[in-house]
Amino acid sequence: MLEQQNLILSKEQVLQKTTRIAYQIYENNFQEEDIVFAGIWQSGYLFAEMLEKAFTQITNRPPTMVKVSLNKTTPTQGEVSLDCPPEDLTNKTVVLIDDVLNTGRTLAYSLKPFFNVRVEKLQIAVLVDRSHKKFPVAADYVGYELSTTLKEHITAELNDEATFGVYLS
């Protein structure tokens, strides 16, 4: 039996929130020379690509895109890797991006590679914040804040045109 999924953000709403976050990132970093969007693979990276497109339309200065890879279910058992040498991030502003902030576990472990290099600033952007903090991670940029029960699940479908949106099940 399929779980009941309720649409909480349509494609239009996701795009509006993406544009708003892109403006906020620009407003808080307009003096920065180099901005890096580090998206957590997979949905976080898709959201980072959407933010990159909106940010570039606003500023005409595309940020550098970096993919952050880790095992989300067992983050302590694997390596957190970047698709670029960490030294490339030296003295740059990094915005770590994910689709949904639930407990903060994924984002907390995703920060590890950024501690080994001197970045100018490190900020966090998420499309949805569920407010179930177990780790001391707070997003600087939030598209939508939604308090849910622990049994509920948020899914961001950002790559399929037919089902594009954010769902609660």
Side-chain angles (χ1 to χ4, degrees):
M1 182 176 164
L2 292 173
E3 288 186 47
Q4 176 67 31
Q5 288 199 330
N6 297 309
L7 181 69
I8 57 173
L9 292 175
S10 68
K11 180 176 183 175
E12 180 179 278
Q13 291 168 316
V14 169
L15 293 174
Q16 287 172 340
K17 292 184 182 310
T18 301
T19 300
R20 180 175 50 80
I21 292 171
Y23 271 105
Q24 290 173 328
I25 292 170
Y26 177 64
E27 288 169 3
N28 291 327
N29 298 291
F30 69 93
Q31 293 179 321
E32 300 299 326
E33 289 289 321
D34 295 309
I35 296 179
V36 175
F37 284 3
I40 298 173
W41 186 253
Q42 177 167 15
S43 293
Y45 191 78
L46 293 173
F47 182 48
E49 289 179 321
M50 293 170 58
L51 277 171
E52 183 261 344
K53 183 178 179 182
F55 188 85
T56 302
Q57 289 175 346
I58 295 165
T59 67
N60 204 20
R61 279 187 352 206
T64 303
M65 294 293 292
V66 172
K67 179 170 50 172
V68 180
S69 300
L70 76 153
N71 184 332
K72 289 184 177 186
T73 54
T74 56
T76 58
Q77 294 180 2
E79 200 57 38
V80 180
S81 64
L82 305 175
D83 68 351
C84 75
E87 305 79 49
D88 289 358
L89 306 176
T90 302
N91 297 323
K92 294 184 180 177
T93 295
V94 176
V95 182
L96 182 61
I97 300 167
D98 204 4
D99 57 340
V100 178
L101 171 56
N102 185 18
T103 64
R105 177 187 313 271
T106 299
L107 282 164
Y109 284 102
S110 297
L111 293 169
K112 186 178 178 183
F114 304 104
F115 294 143
N116 297 326
V117 64
R118 188 186 183 287
V119 296
E120 182 68 26
K121 275 194 242 182
L122 182 58
Q123 301 171 332
I124 295 175
V126 296
L127 180 57
V128 179
D129 183 351
R130 290 187 57 194
S131 305
H132 288 295
K133 305 290 187 295
K134 290 185 181 178
F135 288 78
V137 175
D140 299 284
Y141 310 103
V142 177
Y144 190 67
E145 192 157 347
L146 177 68
S147 295
T148 62
T149 67
L150 292 173
K151 292 182 179 183
E152 292 174 314
H153 185 73
I154 300 284
T155 305
E157 293 288 338
L158 304 177
N159 61 352
D160 184 356
E161 193 65 35
T163 60
F164 193 102
V166 177
Y167 297 88
L168 174 68
S169 56

